Amino acid sequence: MQDPNADTEWNDALRRHGILPAKQEKEFTEDEIVNILENTVQEKLRNDGQKQIEDMTLDELDFIEDEEDERVLEEYRQKRMQELREQAAKEIFGEVRDISAVDYVEQVNNAGAGVWVVLHLYKPSVPLCTMLNNYLYSLSKKFRSVKFLKSISDTCIENYPDKNLPTIFVYYEGQMKHKLIGPEAFGNLNCKADELEWMLSEMGVLKTDLECNPRKKVEDVLLSSLRGSFIGNDDW
């Protein structure tokens, strides 16, 4: 038998004709009434918010966007200022200091936490050494958080062989991490300043703004030129 209290079209028709008694309204508990009211309020707030956005003019929308843009820009500005302050605290060198053996422990091993040290062993009589010292001077101005040092080879290390010059030792927090020994390690007198910068960036010493290995770029150009010469030569 069909439930006379069920919400069906048939029961509704019977109620209209007086065959079934009118449906009794459901009695809600106090908790149910509170929940219904809260849900109604929340739904209205959502709908009102939707209406407000939809009804806003372009100027009003631009104003909201401007406020949001300003908030984002201010957060970025504060973050950037903090980064610059931290960077400035590290940029305390900016020179190539000449040291001797007695300065080694203090200047290299005790350089400090987070400090990269680049030590160049050289002799003024070696042209490549002189060239590298000039490069290192320029790099010290560009990367002031790196500690660049130089030392006459046999003053720093007794009887250090001239055939190993130039030599660059790279330290981080007092520990040797990399070494470049002898002219071949630098490409002899063909070495360029940006090539040395790239090598140091590959070691993690500094963050370069160079986009690719300058030496590789030159090699690619030379190879391309040679290939062109071979293709255009009827004798091959």
Side-chain angles (χ1 to χ4, degrees):
M1 180 178 180
Q2 185 171 340
D3 182 4
N5 293 317
D7 289 328
T8 64
E9 293 182 0
W10 174 251
N11 283 348
D12 289 341
L14 293 177
R15 291 188 189 99
R16 284 196 299 271
H17 289 85
I19 298 172
L20 287 177
K23 183 181 177 182
Q24 294 182 352
E25 294 296 328
K26 178 183 177 182
E27 292 185 4
F28 294 95
T29 65
E30 186 176 342
D31 289 341
E32 288 176 326
I33 292 172
V34 171
N35 288 334
I36 291 171
L37 286 173
E38 287 182 351
N39 291 335
T40 303
V41 170
Q42 292 298 326
E43 184 66 21
K44 187 175 187 309
L45 287 174
R46 284 194 294 269
N47 291 336
D48 287 347
Q50 184 79 13
K51 278 185 177 179
Q52 288 175 5
I53 293 295
E54 290 176 349
D55 294 339
M56 280 184 177
T57 65
L58 289 176
D59 288 341
E60 290 171 330
L61 289 172
D62 286 342
F63 178 75
I64 290 178
E65 289 178 356
D66 289 344
E67 281 190 328
E68 181 64 16
D69 288 344
E70 287 180 6
R71 183 185 66 79
V72 172
L73 285 172
E74 182 59 25
E75 288 180 358
Y76 175 79
R77 188 180 296 113
Q78 293 298 327
K79 181 181 178 182
R80 184 62 181 145
M81 287 176 64
Q82 180 62 27
E83 290 174 349
L84 291 173
R85 282 193 290 267
E86 291 175 356
Q87 184 64 24
K90 297 177 181 177
E91 294 181 346
I92 57 176
F93 301 113
E95 62 179 352
V96 182
R97 183 177 299 180
D98 218 326
I99 67 169
S100 62
V102 295
D103 305 313
Y104 186 89
V105 173
E106 179 186 353
Q107 296 296 329
V108 177
N109 296 111
N110 298 334
V115 177
W116 284 94
V117 178
V118 177
L119 172 62
H120 178 209
L121 300 185
Y122 76 102
K123 274 192 174 177
S125 58
V126 179
L128 183 54
C129 289
T130 301
M131 188 168 69
L132 289 183
N133 275 335
N134 290 332
Y135 293 166
L136 292 175
Y137 177 79
S138 297
L139 289 174
S140 72
K141 300 301 180 185
K142 185 176 180 180
F143 302 99
R144 301 175 68 90
S145 62
V146 180
K147 190 173 189 178
F148 289 93
L149 304 172
K150 62 179 180 176
S151 180
I152 295 177
S153 55
D154 50 12
T155 299
C156 185
I157 302 175
E158 188 176 357
N159 298 321
Y160 193 76
D162 288 353
K163 67 177 183 178
N164 288 347
L165 300 180
T167 291
I168 283 183
F169 294 138
V170 176
Y171 300 82
Y172 181 71
E173 297 185 341
Q175 301 296 317
M176 184 184 292
K177 298 296 182 181
H178 305 280
K179 52 183 178 292
L180 298 168
I181 298 176
E184 291 77 12
F186 301 91
N188 295 297
L189 287 171
N190 294 320
C191 180
K192 301 293 188 294
D194 54 359
E195 293 175 3
L196 180 59
E197 179 178 334
W198 183 266
M199 283 190 281
L200 293 176
S201 72
E202 289 284 275
M203 296 174 187
V205 176
L206 49 84
K207 292 183 179 180
T208 181
D209 52 7
L210 298 172
E211 295 181 356
C212 61
N213 186 342
R215 184 176 297 177
K216 181 69 165 55
K217 189 174 181 180
V218 171
E219 290 173 354
D220 289 345
V221 170
L222 289 173
L223 286 173
S224 177
S225 177
L226 287 171
R227 290 192 192 100
S229 299
F230 293 156
I231 292 171
N233 194 330
D234 295 336
D235 296 333
W236 289 84

